[in-house]
Amino acid sequence: MRTLERRERERELTFWFSGDKKGMPLGNLTSQFFANIYLNKLDYFVKHILKAKYYLRYVDDFVILHESKEQLEEWKTEIVEFLREKLKLELHPQKSRIVLLSKGIDFVGFRNFHHHKLLRKRNIRNIRRKNDFYRDRIISFSSIKDSYRGWQAYAKWGNTYKLREQIKKEIIDNLCNEI
């Protein structure tokens, strides 16, 4: 009976993620939860069938590390086929690529290198744009303060101390110009 219930739930999840809309809806925590459940099959495939030793996944973002470019290309082909046939999903063509670790791996909002990680430039531009909105009085101090607090809580996971202090100074300078 439990197997039948599980299959029914899997069918419901398959329907949920293979509807008319493309991609995974990751706007809220339940969507992230369901994405993790749904992509568990990918985890199994990569770890146990392909036997990739260094595989990381966070919701819909994943990385596989290997010293052989040829092996990575072969695995990518097999993963594309698995996702299409078994999960009715596709890899984003511009976001799924094979790169050297020395160039940094784009993963969960950071460019990850062997010994450090940096924020994506887009992330830095966004907080600076919000500061420009504050400077131009498009948003309030309360709004930029909330944005900065959220941004710095995220940014502190990278090697960003000087950057965070610099952006905080820019916001304070805008506040002082207001007075």
Side-chain angles (χ1 to χ4, degrees), residues 50-66:
L50 299 181
K51 302 206 183 297
K53 187 173 181 179
Y54 301 105
Y55 168 72
L56 304 161
R57 183 176 65 80
Y58 180 78
V59 188
D60 69 334
D61 206 358
F62 71 90
V63 172
I64 302 173
L65 302 175
H66 197 276

Side-chain angles (χ1 to χ4, degrees), residues 76-92:
K76 183 178 178 184
T77 301
E78 292 182 51
I79 289 168
V80 165
E81 184 178 324
F82 174 83
L83 289 172
R84 185 178 350 110
E85 290 181 10
K86 302 291 184 187
L87 300 181
K88 309 297 185 231
L89 295 172
E90 294 178 3
L91 290 179
H92 192 286

